[in-house]
Amino acid sequence: MGSLRGISVAIFAVQALLASVALVSAQGSTNGSRWQTLSGNAPFVIAHGGFSGIFAGSSFGAYSLALLTSVPNVIFWCDVQLTKDAAGICFPDVKLDNNSDIATIYQGQEKAYLVNGVSTKGWFSIDYTLKDLGNVILNQGVYSRPSRLDGNNYPIMTVQDTYTQFKPPGFWLNIQHDAFYAQHNLSMRNFVLSVTRNVNVTVDYISSPEVAFLQSIAPRFQNSTTKLVFRFLGQNDVELSTNQTYDSLLKNLTFIKTFASGIIVPKSYIWPVDANLYLLPSTSVVLDAHKEGLEVFASEFYNDVPFSFNYSYDPVAEYLKFVDNGNFAVDGVISDFPITPSAAIDCFAHLSKNASKQVDLLVISMNGASGDFPGCTDLAYSKAIEDGVDILDCPVQMTKDGTAICLSSINLIDSTTVAQSSFSNLTTTIPEIMQGSGIFTFNLSWSDIRNLTSVISSPQSAYRLFRNPRFRNAGNFLTLSEFLATAKNASSLQGVLISIENAPFLLEQGFDVTDAVLNALSEAGYDKQTAQTVMIQSSNSSVLVKLKSKTNYKLVFKVDEDIGGAQNATIDDIKRFASAVVISKDSVFPENTAYVTGVTTVVPRLQAANLSVYVQTFSNEFTSQAWDFFSDATVEINSYHVGGSINGVITDFPKTSDRYRRNRCLNKGNSTPGYMSPVQPGSLYQLITPAYLPPAEAPNPYLTEADVVEPPLPPVAAKSPTSSPPGTPAAPTSPNGQPKFATSIIVPLMAVLLAIFSLF
């Protein structure tokens, strides 16, 4: 298309910029293990329409970002459609209205055609010449993905322009609808043969789900380096030219080998899942195809679509299951997010669980491995230890009979089925603790609580993302003493973190949670050992001030709001009673509508005062992450650690963080590959054109002395009489939220390209 020719010089800059990245990532994959692919080489990464998980598929932005963030031999995937004048364009779908603004440009021109025997309405390329499509702009066709980048006015590109503009390391043409175009007197065969004869275009792979099409071109590619690949669709779908189901064709790979050198299969052909999205045993598809001399490419990899619960919402773990499972490896993966398989293959594959840590990043659990099991249960804690956590956490709550226990919330409704139990009548409202009503731990005895059924937390349930439903109610709760015994027996742990909240309120109810914690630690022998670090965390400075005078444990101040900075006097106050601070992710990289807008000075200023900075909460679910991190928890962790310089992560999926710090692509300096480089804060936001910008948000407030300094803790009150009505705590004599107070103490394509480079 003519509108792209003026930026050809910029594309040479792309190639030059990526040359060093390519060199280092190529070197990173030498790990001494032979790949179980057909060739014995590392699997290929095929960028499906470029980086189509962020930018419109097959757009200039998508292909540019794919080059920047992928392995050096990345292959560009182009879905070929034919125009009325037989030009081939790269476009994700046979219907143009699915991924462009054509319905606005050519209003009222919707038509209906038979596509694979099904009447389909929309705007089709067969009704428009290449010139007609010159003003049509690509947009994001998956409506759950960010659309704010659509204002960059990316034009539709021809097959030839896509190749010549980028000179990709590999180029893949997918011919999905040859039969449809043939019905309208357009020959996909002629187009493919003409483009492969073009000395300025190198086509490495041609795929199609139509047997007849591949058979028609196979003789022309017998002595060619271009490989033909048969694409399998749904197992019960019928292949048009043979009238056989794809499942039936899968049983005759010898026949496939007569016209193809490889196959594409949906990933479920290899690792099927049951009705509840749990993995079933792998099939023999890969091994069977390799026996026939066929390469196997797995498709349908998306970071932002729920996959098997076995992967704990971690897309890197899913890719590793296909390329590094000890039995077989696919020869390539087709992905909308090529950064993730690039890192999985080059940085994580064949990595021992006991591989050396490459960076100093503390991994602290959030209620144990609460992403996999109900929080603060024996199963969650065992899983966290198994997954390589450094610091095991226990949020301490007090029971009616004065037992200190580990539970994620003082409100039992948050983590148990108490509301469906005989204790549902204990519901009460305590504004000093929380808005709304709850059933609180101090209204039930430990024997009552330990017999309640646990419930796994699913913080992203509003997006229909639920955690490990098979174990939704598994595990037993622990007392603080039982937790400490578990931790002390785990030789891999560096220490424990005890969290104390609501201490002023509990004192007024007759519960001294601070002394209960100190007594439990002493009884467990933690005051007489140095093998494990003891951290005590609270958002109440009064708690930490009291502990400072009574113990040498490491004290951690939790900032319970998003902040944009901190006053010098405030930091000095924190230093008087704490050696570390916990802040939110937004306090490092502030966001607006899930786009990172910049970076604060909070971390460097706290660290300059010799305060360690731990950030929470790192979760695997893609909806918990800004778009900037490409729906990949590993990209987010890397950006906060390398880019944000944080000292530790607090996470409900410790396995992901522990694996990250052991990967072989860290500590490369200027030679770090693009897929292990931190995202530059605000770079994606800068690509949003004015018409698509979200409303501006007020910056997060500064942390002041009034937010930190508190009066001393009150003395413990006598407990309410046991005859008090169940569920009705004694009325506090004064507000007990422990109020805090101050004391003395349209963008040009060249500009878009440069902005994409600034992402890393």
Side-chain angles (χ1 to χ4, degrees), residues 184-233:
H184 299 278
N185 298 317
L186 291 168
S187 174
M188 193 65 79
R189 179 180 184 276
N190 289 346
F191 171 77
V192 166
L193 294 179
S194 68
V195 78
T196 54
R197 285 195 296 263
N198 187 333
V199 295
N200 296 315
V201 178
T202 300
V203 178
D204 298 280
Y205 291 90
I206 300 171
S207 61
S208 177
E210 298 179 16
V211 169
F213 172 72
L214 291 177
Q215 287 178 326
S216 72
I217 65 172
R220 302 296 294 269
F221 291 96
Q222 283 183 346
N223 299 314
S224 170
T225 57
T226 302
K227 296 182 178 181
L228 305 186
V229 181
F230 180 61
R231 184 177 188 180
F232 283 82
L233 303 182

Side-chain angles (χ1 to χ4, degrees), residues 361 363 618 637 649 651 653-661:
L361 177 68
V363 177
F618 287 86
I637 295 166
V649 296
T651 175
F653 294 92
K655 184 175 184 177
T656 305
S657 296
D658 179 59
R659 186 193 59 211
Y660 156 74
R661 60 187 176 174

